[in-house]
PDB file of all heavy atoms in Angstrom:
ATOM      1  N   ARG A   1      78.680 104.664 128.162  1.00 92.00           N
ATOM      2  CA  ARG A   1      78.065 104.064 129.360  1.00 92.00           C
ATOM      3  C   ARG A   1      77.340 105.176 130.138  1.00 92.00           C
ATOM      4  O   ARG A   1      77.934 106.234 130.397  1.00 92.00           O
ATOM      5  CB  ARG A   1      79.159 103.411 130.203  1.00 92.00           C
ATOM      6  CG  ARG A   1      78.635 102.603 131.367  1.00 92.00           C
ATOM      7  CD  ARG A   1      79.758 101.840 132.042  1.00 92.00           C
ATOM      8  NE  ARG A   1      80.322 100.810 131.187  1.00 92.00           N
ATOM      9  CZ  ARG A   1      79.793  99.595 130.999  1.00 92.00           C
ATOM     10  NH1 ARG A   1      78.683  99.265 131.627  1.00 92.00           N
ATOM     11  NH2 ARG A   1      80.372  98.725 130.212  1.00 92.00           N
ATOM     12  N   PRO A   2      76.059 104.972 130.481  1.00 89.00           N
ATOM     13  CA  PRO A   2      75.260 106.044 131.094  1.00 89.00           C
ATOM     14  C   PRO A   2      75.899 106.736 132.296  1.00 89.00           C
ATOM     15  O   PRO A   2      75.852 107.956 132.393  1.00 89.00           O
ATOM     16  CB  PRO A   2      73.959 105.341 131.476  1.00 89.00           C
ATOM     17  CG  PRO A   2      73.826 104.270 130.440  1.00 89.00           C
ATOM     18  CD  PRO A   2      75.235 103.788 130.215  1.00 89.00           C
ATOM     19  N   GLY A   3      76.520 106.018 133.194  1.00 86.00           N
ATOM     20  CA  GLY A   3      77.125 106.626 134.372  1.00 86.00           C
ATOM     21  C   GLY A   3      78.331 107.492 134.072  1.00 86.00           C
ATOM     22  O   GLY A   3      78.775 108.261 134.922  1.00 86.00           O
ATOM     23  N   LEU A   4      78.856 107.390 132.846  1.00 88.00           N
ATOM     24  CA  LEU A   4      80.030 108.178 132.455  1.00 88.00           C
ATOM     25  C   LEU A   4      79.675 109.334 131.523  1.00 88.00           C
ATOM     26  O   LEU A   4      80.554 110.113 131.148  1.00 88.00           O
ATOM     27  CB  LEU A   4      81.064 107.274 131.779  1.00 88.00           C
ATOM     28  CG  LEU A   4      81.642 106.163 132.651  1.00 88.00           C
ATOM     29  CD1 LEU A   4      82.565 105.274 131.836  1.00 88.00           C
ATOM     30  CD2 LEU A   4      82.365 106.748 133.852  1.00 88.00           C
ATOM     31  N   GLN A   5      78.419 109.443 131.141  1.00 87.00           N
ATOM     32  CA  GLN A   5      78.014 110.521 130.246  1.00 87.00           C
ATOM     33  C   GLN A   5      78.188 111.866 130.959  1.00 87.00           C
ATOM     34  O   GLN A   5      77.992 111.976 132.158  1.00 87.00           O
ATOM     35  CB  GLN A   5      76.569 110.320 129.794  1.00 87.00           C
ATOM     36  CG  GLN A   5      76.426 109.124 128.881  1.00 87.00           C
ATOM     37  CD  GLN A   5      74.992 108.819 128.507  1.00 87.00           C
ATOM     38  OE1 GLN A   5      74.088 109.624 128.719  1.00 87.00           O
ATOM     39  NE2 GLN A   5      74.783 107.645 127.934  1.00 87.00           N
ATOM     40  N   GLY A   6      78.600 112.864 130.191  1.00 86.00           N
ATOM     41  CA  GLY A   6      78.824 114.187 130.750  1.00 86.00           C
ATOM     42  C   GLY A   6      80.214 114.369 131.324  1.00 86.00           C
ATOM     43  O   GLY A   6      80.506 115.391 131.947  1.00 86.00           O
ATOM     44  N   GLN A   7      81.111 113.385 131.113  1.00 89.00           N
ATOM     45  CA  GLN A   7      82.465 113.461 131.661  1.00 89.00           C
ATOM     46  C   GLN A   7      83.539 113.561 130.575  1.00 89.00           C
ATOM     47  O   GLN A   7      84.711 113.376 130.842  1.00 89.00           O
ATOM     48  CB  GLN A   7      82.733 112.249 132.547  1.00 89.00           C
ATOM     49  CG  GLN A   7      81.817 112.193 133.751  1.00 89.00           C
ATOM     50  CD  GLN A   7      82.092 110.983 134.624  1.00 89.00           C
ATOM     51  OE1 GLN A   7      83.184 110.454 134.655  1.00 89.00           O
ATOM     52  NE2 GLN A   7      81.077 110.548 135.345  1.00 89.00           N
ATOM     53  N   GLY A   8      83.138 113.829 129.340  1.00 91.00           N
ATOM     54  CA  GLY A   8      84.110 114.012 128.272  1.00 91.00           C
ATOM     55  C   GLY A   8      84.405 112.785 127.433  1.00 91.00           C
ATOM     56  O   GLY A   8      85.132 112.870 126.442  1.00 91.00           O
ATOM     57  N   VAL A   9      83.861 111.635 127.802  1.00 93.00           N
ATOM     58  CA  VAL A   9      84.112 110.410 127.048  1.00 93.00           C
ATOM     59  C   VAL A   9      83.572 110.547 125.624  1.00 93.00           C
ATOM     60  O   VAL A   9      84.255 110.230 124.650  1.00 93.00           O
ATOM     61  CB  VAL A   9      83.495 109.179 127.757  1.00 93.00           C
ATOM     62  CG1 VAL A   9      83.659 107.923 126.902  1.00 93.00           C
ATOM     63  CG2 VAL A   9      84.108 108.980 129.138  1.00 93.00           C
ATOM     64  N   GLY A  10      82.365 111.040 125.487  1.00 93.00           N
ATOM     65  CA  GLY A  10      81.753 111.205 124.170  1.00 93.00           C
ATOM     66  C   GLY A  10      82.516 112.179 123.290  1.00 93.00           C
ATOM     67  O   GLY A  10      82.731 111.918 122.100  1.00 93.00           O
ATOM     68  N   ARG A  11      82.943 113.298 123.862  1.00 95.00           N
ATOM     69  CA  ARG A  11      83.734 114.274 123.101  1.00 95.00           C
ATOM     70  C   ARG A  11      85.025 113.646 122.586  1.00 95.00           C
ATOM     71  O   ARG A  11      85.434 113.872 121.447  1.00 95.00           O
ATOM     72  CB  ARG A  11      84.066 115.495 123.966  1.00 95.00           C
ATOM     73  CG  ARG A  11      82.939 116.484 124.079  1.00 95.00           C
ATOM     74  CD  ARG A  11      83.398 117.760 124.769  1.00 95.00           C
ATOM     75  NE  ARG A  11      83.840 117.540 126.151  1.00 95.00           N
ATOM     76  CZ  ARG A  11      83.036 117.559 127.198  1.00 95.00           C
ATOM     77  NH1 ARG A  11      81.750 117.806 127.044  1.00 95.00           N
ATOM     78  NH2 ARG A  11      83.503 117.353 128.410  1.00 95.00           N
ATOM     79  N   THR A  12      85.663 112.834 123.428  1.00 96.00           N
ATOM     80  CA  THR A  12      86.903 112.169 123.039  1.00 96.00           C
ATOM     81  C   THR A  12      86.659 111.173 121.910  1.00 96.00           C
ATOM     82  O   THR A  12      87.420 111.141 120.932  1.00 96.00           O
ATOM     83  CB  THR A  12      87.532 111.461 124.259  1.00 96.00           C
ATOM     84  OG1 THR A  12      87.809 112.440 125.259  1.00 96.00           O
ATOM     85  CG2 THR A  12      88.793 110.726 123.883  1.00 96.00           C
ATOM     86  N   ILE A  13      85.606 110.380 122.035  1.00 96.00           N
ATOM     87  CA  ILE A  13      85.285 109.398 120.989  1.00 96.00           C
ATOM     88  C   ILE A  13      84.983 110.107 119.677  1.00 96.00           C
ATOM     89  O   ILE A  13      85.466 109.712 118.618  1.00 96.00           O
ATOM     90  CB  ILE A  13      84.104 108.504 121.425  1.00 96.00           C
ATOM     91  CG1 ILE A  13      84.538 107.608 122.587  1.00 96.00           C
ATOM     92  CG2 ILE A  13      83.574 107.677 120.249  1.00 96.00           C
ATOM     93  CD1 ILE A  13      83.392 106.858 123.245  1.00 96.00           C
ATOM     94  N   MET A  14      84.188 111.156 119.735  1.00 96.00           N
ATOM     95  CA  MET A  14      83.824 111.879 118.518  1.00 96.00           C
ATOM     96  C   MET A  14      85.057 112.489 117.853  1.00 96.00           C
ATOM     97  O   MET A  14      85.219 112.388 116.629  1.00 96.00           O
ATOM     98  CB  MET A  14      82.789 112.951 118.820  1.00 96.00           C
ATOM     99  CG  MET A  14      82.384 113.741 117.592  1.00 96.00           C
ATOM    100  SD  MET A  14      80.955 114.757 117.908  1.00 96.00           S
ATOM    101  CE  MET A  14      79.698 113.545 117.557  1.00 96.00           C
ATOM    102  N   ALA A  15      85.929 113.097 118.625  1.00 96.00           N
ATOM    103  CA  ALA A  15      87.149 113.691 118.060  1.00 96.00           C
ATOM    104  C   ALA A  15      88.006 112.617 117.405  1.00 96.00           C
ATOM    105  O   ALA A  15      88.521 112.805 116.296  1.00 96.00           O
ATOM    106  CB  ALA A  15      87.929 114.427 119.144  1.00 96.00           C
ATOM    107  N   ARG A  16      88.167 111.470 118.059  1.00 97.00           N
ATOM    108  CA  ARG A  16      88.962 110.384 117.488  1.00 97.00           C
ATOM    109  C   ARG A  16      88.303 109.838 116.225  1.00 97.00           C
ATOM    110  O   ARG A  16      88.980 109.503 115.257  1.00 97.00           O
ATOM    111  CB  ARG A  16      89.151 109.285 118.523  1.00 97.00           C
ATOM    112  CG  ARG A  16      89.984 108.110 118.026  1.00 97.00           C
ATOM    113  CD  ARG A  16      91.462 108.465 117.768  1.00 97.00           C
ATOM    114  NE  ARG A  16      92.144 108.887 118.952  1.00 97.00           N
ATOM    115  CZ  ARG A  16      92.741 108.060 119.820  1.00 97.00           C
ATOM    116  NH1 ARG A  16      92.750 106.777 119.590  1.00 97.00           N
ATOM    117  NH2 ARG A  16      93.334 108.537 120.886  1.00 97.00           N
ATOM    118  N   ALA A  17      86.983 109.761 116.223  1.00 97.00           N
ATOM    119  CA  ALA A  17      86.262 109.283 115.035  1.00 97.00           C
ATOM    120  C   ALA A  17      86.512 110.214 113.850  1.00 97.00           C
ATOM    121  O   ALA A  17      86.758 109.754 112.725  1.00 97.00           O
ATOM    122  CB  ALA A  17      84.770 109.178 115.329  1.00 97.00           C
ATOM    123  N   GLU A  18      86.438 111.515 114.080  1.00 97.00           N
ATOM    124  CA  GLU A  18      86.679 112.487 113.013  1.00 97.00           C
ATOM    125  C   GLU A  18      88.108 112.370 112.490  1.00 97.00           C
ATOM    126  O   GLU A  18      88.336 112.343 111.275  1.00 97.00           O
ATOM    127  CB  GLU A  18      86.378 113.897 113.513  1.00 97.00           C
ATOM    128  CG  GLU A  18      84.898 114.113 113.782  1.00 97.00           C
ATOM    129  CD  GLU A  18      84.593 115.370 114.581  1.00 97.00           C
ATOM    130  OE1 GLU A  18      85.540 116.088 114.979  1.00 97.00           O
ATOM    131  OE2 GLU A  18      83.399 115.634 114.829  1.00 97.00           O
ATOM    132  N   GLU A  19      89.071 112.271 113.399  1.00 96.00           N
ATOM    133  CA  GLU A  19      90.478 112.111 112.998  1.00 96.00           C
ATOM    134  C   GLU A  19      90.674 110.825 112.197  1.00 96.00           C
ATOM    135  O   GLU A  19      91.381 110.814 111.182  1.00 96.00           O
ATOM    136  CB  GLU A  19      91.380 112.069 114.241  1.00 96.00           C
ATOM    137  CG  GLU A  19      91.457 113.359 114.997  1.00 96.00           C
ATOM    138  CD  GLU A  19      92.081 113.181 116.385  1.00 96.00           C
ATOM    139  OE1 GLU A  19      92.577 112.063 116.704  1.00 96.00           O
ATOM    140  OE2 GLU A  19      92.066 114.154 117.157  1.00 96.00           O
ATOM    141  N   THR A  20      90.061 109.748 112.646  1.00 97.00           N
ATOM    142  CA  THR A  20      90.183 108.450 111.976  1.00 97.00           C
ATOM    143  C   THR A  20      89.590 108.498 110.577  1.00 97.00           C
ATOM    144  O   THR A  20      90.198 107.996 109.622  1.00 97.00           O
ATOM    145  CB  THR A  20      89.496 107.350 112.812  1.00 97.00           C
ATOM    146  OG1 THR A  20      90.150 107.273 114.089  1.00 97.00           O
ATOM    147  CG2 THR A  20      89.554 105.997 112.121  1.00 97.00           C
ATOM    148  N   ALA A  21      88.431 109.099 110.437  1.00 97.00           N
ATOM    149  CA  ALA A  21      87.773 109.171 109.123  1.00 97.00           C
ATOM    150  C   ALA A  21      88.614 109.962 108.127  1.00 97.00           C
ATOM    151  O   ALA A  21      88.736 109.572 106.962  1.00 97.00           O
ATOM    152  CB  ALA A  21      86.385 109.788 109.268  1.00 97.00           C
ATOM    153  N   VAL A  22      89.201 111.059 108.573  1.00 96.00           N
ATOM    154  CA  VAL A  22      90.050 111.867 107.691  1.00 96.00           C
ATOM    155  C   VAL A  22      91.319 111.095 107.338  1.00 96.00           C
ATOM    156  O   VAL A  22      91.707 111.006 106.165  1.00 96.00           O
ATOM    157  CB  VAL A  22      90.377 113.236 108.331  1.00 96.00           C
ATOM    158  CG1 VAL A  22      91.442 113.969 107.539  1.00 96.00           C
ATOM    159  CG2 VAL A  22      89.116 114.089 108.442  1.00 96.00           C
ATOM    160  N   ALA A  23      91.978 110.516 108.337  1.00 95.00           N
ATOM    161  CA  ALA A  23      93.238 109.808 108.095  1.00 95.00           C
ATOM    162  C   ALA A  23      93.042 108.553 107.245  1.00 95.00           C
ATOM    163  O   ALA A  23      93.851 108.264 106.361  1.00 95.00           O
ATOM    164  CB  ALA A  23      93.886 109.439 109.431  1.00 95.00           C
ATOM    165  N   ARG A  24      91.982 107.815 107.489  1.00 95.00           N
ATOM    166  CA  ARG A  24      91.762 106.543 106.808  1.00 95.00           C
ATOM    167  C   ARG A  24      91.203 106.710 105.406  1.00 95.00           C
ATOM    168  O   ARG A  24      91.593 106.011 104.482  1.00 95.00           O
ATOM    169  CB  ARG A  24      90.836 105.683 107.657  1.00 95.00           C
ATOM    170  CG  ARG A  24      90.619 104.290 107.125  1.00 95.00           C
ATOM    171  CD  ARG A  24      89.788 103.470 108.108  1.00 95.00           C
ATOM    172  NE  ARG A  24      89.771 102.101 107.723  1.00 95.00           N
ATOM    173  CZ  ARG A  24      90.667 101.182 108.059  1.00 95.00           C
ATOM    174  NH1 ARG A  24      91.673 101.528 108.814  1.00 95.00           N
ATOM    175  NH2 ARG A  24      90.556  99.939 107.656  1.00 95.00           N
ATOM    176  N   TRP A  25      90.240 107.620 105.251  1.00 96.00           N
ATOM    177  CA  TRP A  25      89.514 107.724 103.986  1.00 96.00           C
ATOM    178  C   TRP A  25      89.684 109.070 103.283  1.00 96.00           C
ATOM    179  O   TRP A  25      89.189 109.250 102.168  1.00 96.00           O
ATOM    180  CB  TRP A  25      88.030 107.448 104.211  1.00 96.00           C
ATOM    181  CG  TRP A  25      87.748 106.060 104.730  1.00 96.00           C
ATOM    182  CD1 TRP A  25      88.232 104.884 104.227  1.00 96.00           C
ATOM    183  CD2 TRP A  25      86.916 105.710 105.831  1.00 96.00           C
ATOM    184  NE1 TRP A  25      87.739 103.828 104.950  1.00 96.00           N
ATOM    185  CE2 TRP A  25      86.927 104.304 105.947  1.00 96.00           C
ATOM    186  CE3 TRP A  25      86.150 106.448 106.732  1.00 96.00           C
ATOM    187  CZ2 TRP A  25      86.213 103.614 106.913  1.00 96.00           C
ATOM    188  CZ3 TRP A  25      85.434 105.765 107.705  1.00 96.00           C
ATOM    189  CH2 TRP A  25      85.469 104.353 107.790  1.00 96.00           C
ATOM    190  N   GLY A  26      90.294 110.040 103.927  1.00 95.00           N
ATOM    191  CA  GLY A  26      90.472 111.348 103.315  1.00 95.00           C
ATOM    192  C   GLY A  26      89.166 112.103 103.109  1.00 95.00           C
ATOM    193  O   GLY A  26      89.066 112.936 102.212  1.00 95.00           O
ATOM    194  N   VAL A  27      88.178 111.849 103.946  1.00 97.00           N
ATOM    195  CA  VAL A  27      86.878 112.492 103.792  1.00 97.00           C
ATOM    196  C   VAL A  27      86.951 113.961 104.187  1.00 97.00           C
ATOM    197  O   VAL A  27      87.841 114.380 104.927  1.00 97.00           O
ATOM    198  CB  VAL A  27      85.785 111.769 104.616  1.00 97.00           C
ATOM    199  CG1 VAL A  27      85.631 110.323 104.149  1.00 97.00           C
ATOM    200  CG2 VAL A  27      86.075 111.822 106.101  1.00 97.00           C
ATOM    201  N   THR A  28      85.988 114.728 103.692  1.00 96.00           N
ATOM    202  CA  THR A  28      85.942 116.153 104.003  1.00 96.00           C
ATOM    203  C   THR A  28      84.792 116.514 104.936  1.00 96.00           C
ATOM    204  O   THR A  28      84.679 117.662 105.359  1.00 96.00           O
ATOM    205  CB  THR A  28      85.806 116.981 102.715  1.00 96.00           C
ATOM    206  OG1 THR A  28      84.630 116.562 102.015  1.00 96.00           O
ATOM    207  CG2 THR A  28      87.028 116.792 101.826  1.00 96.00           C
ATOM    208  N   ALA A  29      83.943 115.524 105.246  1.00 98.00           N
ATOM    209  CA  ALA A  29      82.813 115.801 106.131  1.00 98.00           C
ATOM    210  C   ALA A  29      82.367 114.525 106.839  1.00 98.00           C
ATOM    211  O   ALA A  29      82.589 113.416 106.355  1.00 98.00           O
ATOM    212  CB  ALA A  29      81.638 116.381 105.339  1.00 98.00           C
ATOM    213  N   MET A  30      81.748 114.720 107.995  1.00 98.00           N
ATOM    214  CA  MET A  30      81.130 113.636 108.748  1.00 98.00           C
ATOM    215  C   MET A  30      79.643 113.933 108.778  1.00 98.00           C
ATOM    216  O   MET A  30      79.236 115.088 108.945  1.00 98.00           O
ATOM    217  CB  MET A  30      81.680 113.602 110.173  1.00 98.00           C
ATOM    218  CG  MET A  30      81.168 112.460 111.002  1.00 98.00           C
ATOM    219  SD  MET A  30      82.133 110.963 110.787  1.00 98.00           S
ATOM    220  CE  MET A  30      83.503 111.311 111.861  1.00 98.00           C
ATOM    221  N   GLU A  31      78.823 112.898 108.611  1.00 98.00           N
ATOM    222  CA  GLU A  31      77.376 113.081 108.669  1.00 98.00           C
ATOM    223  C   GLU A  31      76.768 112.040 109.584  1.00 98.00           C
ATOM    224  O   GLU A  31      77.370 111.001 109.862  1.00 98.00           O
ATOM    225  CB  GLU A  31      76.766 113.009 107.276  1.00 98.00           C
ATOM    226  CG  GLU A  31      76.888 111.656 106.611  1.00 98.00           C
ATOM    227  CD  GLU A  31      76.328 111.633 105.196  1.00 98.00           C
ATOM    228  OE1 GLU A  31      76.495 112.627 104.466  1.00 98.00           O
ATOM    229  OE2 GLU A  31      75.728 110.620 104.841  1.00 98.00           O
ATOM    230  N   MET A  32      75.591 112.347 110.058  1.00 98.00           N
ATOM    231  CA  MET A  32      74.842 111.440 110.928  1.00 98.00           C
ATOM    232  C   MET A  32      73.373 111.764 110.799  1.00 98.00           C
ATOM    233  O   MET A  32      73.003 112.816 110.262  1.00 98.00           O
ATOM    234  CB  MET A  32      75.284 111.601 112.380  1.00 98.00           C
ATOM    235  CG  MET A  32      74.897 112.951 112.980  1.00 98.00           C
ATOM    236  SD  MET A  32      75.342 113.142 114.707  1.00 98.00           S
ATOM    237  CE  MET A  32      77.074 113.498 114.577  1.00 98.00           C
ATOM    238  N   THR A  33      72.546 110.861 111.279  1.00 97.00           N
ATOM    239  CA  THR A  33      71.119 111.149 111.393  1.00 97.00           C
ATOM    240  C   THR A  33      70.732 110.992 112.854  1.00 97.00           C
ATOM    241  O   THR A  33      71.214 110.087 113.544  1.00 97.00           O
ATOM    242  CB  THR A  33      70.257 110.228 110.506  1.00 97.00           C
ATOM    243  OG1 THR A  33      70.523 108.865 110.837  1.00 97.00           O
ATOM    244  CG2 THR A  33      70.536 110.471 109.035  1.00 97.00           C
ATOM    245  N   VAL A  34      69.903 111.895 113.328  1.00 95.00           N
ATOM    246  CA  VAL A  34      69.465 111.925 114.717  1.00 95.00           C
ATOM    247  C   VAL A  34      67.960 112.118 114.731  1.00 95.00           C
ATOM    248  O   VAL A  34      67.423 112.876 113.910  1.00 95.00           O
ATOM    249  CB  VAL A  34      70.145 113.094 115.473  1.00 95.00           C
ATOM    250  CG1 VAL A  34      69.724 113.134 116.925  1.00 95.00           C
ATOM    251  CG2 VAL A  34      71.653 113.010 115.360  1.00 95.00           C
ATOM    252  N   LEU A  35      67.286 111.434 115.646  1.00 94.00           N
ATOM    253  CA  LEU A  35      65.854 111.684 115.781  1.00 94.00           C
ATOM    254  C   LEU A  35      65.641 113.170 116.057  1.00 94.00           C
ATOM    255  O   LEU A  35      66.218 113.732 116.991  1.00 94.00           O
ATOM    256  CB  LEU A  35      65.257 110.851 116.916  1.00 94.00           C
ATOM    257  CG  LEU A  35      65.064 109.379 116.626  1.00 94.00           C
ATOM    258  CD1 LEU A  35      64.673 108.631 117.901  1.00 94.00           C
ATOM    259  CD2 LEU A  35      64.009 109.161 115.545  1.00 94.00           C
TER     260      LEU A  35
END
């Protein structure tokens, strides 16, 4: 949410996403595409 950006919400989501991907699928890397 724009008004909450810069307050650590994104860092928390990203960390949880990385943990989830490793725990659920046993992956060794995360990838994305960005403009």
Side-chain angles (χ1 to χ4, degrees):
R1 188 172 294 279
L4 297 175
Q5 291 175 13
Q7 297 180 26
V9 175
R11 280 189 297 272
T12 300
I13 292 170
M14 180 169 274
R16 181 67 62 87
E18 292 166 358
E19 292 166 7
T20 299
V22 170
R24 185 175 190 87
W25 298 311
V27 299
T28 57
M30 184 86 81
E31 65 183 38
M32 68 178 78
T33 57
V34 181
L35 285 171

